[in-house]
Amino acid sequence: MIIVMKPQAKQESIQRIKNIIESKGLYAHISAGKEVTIIGVVGDKTRLQDQNLEIYEDVDKIVAVTESYKLANRKFHPEPSKIKVGNVVIGGGSLVIMSGPCAVESKEQLLATAHAIKKAGAQILRGGAYKPRTSPYAFQGLEEEGLMYMKAAREETGLPVICEVTSLNAIEAAVKYVDMLQIGARNMQNFYLLKEAGKTGLPVLLKRGLSATIDEWLNASEYIIAEGNPNVVLCERGIRTFETATRNTLDISAVPVIKEKSHLPIIVDPSHATGVRAYVKPLSLSAVAAGADGLMIETHPDPARALSDGAQSLTFEQFEELTRELRPLAALMGKKF
Ligand code: PEP
Ligand code: MN
């Protein structure tokens, strides 16, 4: 942390700040320029959390030197993390595809989807049992019944399963049935939910919030890891911008930025990013080319009749075509698929 003093700050103002820093057992490194003096704080800056240094006389601004997230930070963990979900490893040099319906609608729908996506090469089955819908009148999910079908699909296909949790009750139910929890975009900064998901020890897929910066997203991941659960995978799913041609705007740059700032694996969800089936393939290819560790793709046996997100869901044939086209690109990127 660096404290930048105002031009021509009085000597007594500089000394006051230095005294506060030293009174907390920290070292104050003063560099006096011609116009501006800056004070570097060396040591554990959390000792200064009861001091609002910016309100003292002649202080211009406080500049953070290191990010507030530590456990998710690549600076303190240079090796990329590998996260195990059942027998699947995310971030270990493979391309991992999670696919399935937006919402679990019936046992038949889920099992048909599970078999089709497995045949096409997907390694994890997704399905929503608790749906965070924009309208309270839209289909809200089958809840625990849906989780039971997810477990049945895993037993039948061997695919690990992931389901979104939206409340503490949903977490308590989901831990009995699924291999990975999903925290959706709308709950990315529901810090209580993040902590509870962290406590389960299950791997967590943390989607980026609709309007979240990368810094806020990584701080959210820190809440989960700080509970002693390092098994976090990030998912870029588009952010709100002024553009209305797509549901959201896919921030492909998040992939290399996350790779630089964090050791956590990152996957991309082009389905929720665009809301349009025709854009899912080109953006899946872009995500893999940018270095993503995986993809989340919505599929449905009959998208025209889907109870949610039909317009962005791929048919089984379209999903098969997508995985076929991904194979040579994955190989080019050095990823097993
Ligand atoms: C989902 O994956 O079903 C979902 C609701 O996604 P998001 O949280 O990204 O909107
Ligand atoms: Mn959906």
Side-chain angles (χ1 to χ4, degrees):
M1 177 170 121
I2 288 169
I3 296 139
V4 182
M5 303 300 289
K6 287 184 179 153
Q8 273 84 46
K10 290 185 279 303
Q11 206 48 47
E12 64 188 83
S13 303
I14 296 168
Q15 191 60 44
R16 185 177 303 120
I17 298 297
K18 184 172 184 279
N19 290 347
I20 293 171
I21 294 167
E22 288 175 350
S23 73
K24 299 286 179 182
L26 301 167
Y27 174 67
H29 177 87
I30 303 212
S31 73
K34 224 163 152 200
E35 298 267 320
V36 169
T37 293
I38 62 173
I39 307 172
V41 180
V42 183
D44 176 7
K45 73 171 194 314
T46 60
R47 291 194 205 165
L48 284 167
Q49 63 194 3
D50 62 349
Q51 292 292 329
N52 291 311
L53 294 177
E54 58 271 72
I55 66 173
Y56 282 87
E57 196 180 349
D58 285 337
V59 172
D60 183 13
K61 60 183 170 195
I62 312 285
V63 182
V65 186
T66 50
E67 297 83 3
S68 51
Y69 52 92
K70 305 286 176 217
L71 301 168
N73 200 320
R74 189 151 194 162
K75 283 185 192 138
F76 310 111
H77 187 308
E79 278 303 302
S81 283
K82 297 178 187 172
I83 310 300
K84 258 192 111 190
V85 183
N87 52 0
V88 175
V89 179
I90 308 177
S94 302
L95 180 70
V96 174
I97 303 194
M98 308 181 182
S99 187
C102 180
V104 179
E105 297 167 9
S106 68
K107 194 169 178 185
E108 297 66 38
Q109 170 240 22
L110 190 67
L111 287 178
T113 310
H115 283 291
I117 61 138
K118 184 181 178 182
K119 191 158 159 255
Q123 303 98 319
I124 296 178
L125 175 69
R126 65 145 283 146
Y130 301 87
K131 294 308 302 173
R133 304 303 298 279
T134 302
S135 161
Y137 308 116
F139 177 59
Q140 303 286 310
L142 296 181
E143 304 191 344
E144 192 152 355
E145 185 187 347
L147 293 172
M148 283 156 73
Y149 299 155
M150 292 293 284
K151 188 174 172 200
R154 178 187 51 214
E155 277 160 14
E156 207 170 293
T157 61
L159 293 174
V161 297
I162 174 171
C163 191
E164 178 171 356
V165 286
T166 51
S167 65
L168 182 53
N169 281 349
I171 291 179
E172 280 168 1
V175 294
K176 295 183 269 173
Y177 303 99
V178 305
D179 303 285
M180 185 177 209
L181 302 176
Q182 175 174 320
I183 301 281
R186 290 155 193 81
N187 276 311
M188 189 207 83
Q189 284 188 313
N190 184 339
F191 301 119
Y192 176 73
L193 195 68
L194 296 174
K195 288 196 243 181
E196 292 301 319
K199 283 182 197 153
T200 67
L202 279 178
V204 179
L205 182 73
L206 179 63
K207 289 193 143 194
R208 182 177 181 180
L210 281 71
S211 303
T213 63
I214 287 176
D215 191 76
E216 288 164 343
W217 189 14
L218 288 170
N219 271 294
S221 77
E222 188 87 1
Y223 272 89
I224 302 168
I225 308 173
E227 292 299 324
N229 183 350
N231 306 308
V232 179
V233 176
L234 301 168
C235 179
E236 162 61 41
R237 47 77 71 206
I239 48 175
R240 280 271 163 91
T241 68
F242 52 83
E243 183 53 74
T244 53
T246 47
R247 186 172 172 179
N248 295 288
T249 299
L250 181 60
D251 181 12
I252 282 282
S253 60
V255 176
V257 173
I258 288 290
K259 291 275 170 209
E260 187 187 340
K261 291 183 175 290
S262 178
H263 52 89
L264 299 174
I266 174 167
I267 71 164
V268 170
D269 171 352
S271 307
H272 291 91
T274 62
V276 181
R277 180 178 320 146
Y279 306 149
V280 169
K281 184 164 74 178
L283 290 180
S284 297
L285 293 165
S286 316
V288 175
D293 297 293
L295 296 166
M296 172 173 266
I297 312 277
E298 284 187 341
T299 42
H300 194 282
D302 185 3
R305 286 165 202 275
L307 293 182
S308 68
D309 286 350
Q312 68 197 33
S313 299
L314 301 188
T315 62
F316 298 161
E317 293 70 31
Q318 288 164 337
F319 182 68
E320 206 272 328
E321 181 188 318
L322 169 63
T323 56
R324 204 169 351 110
E325 293 193 24
L326 280 169
R327 278 181 207 286
L329 180 60
L332 192 66
M333 295 302 294
K335 291 216 156 62
K336 268 204 291 184
F337 177 57

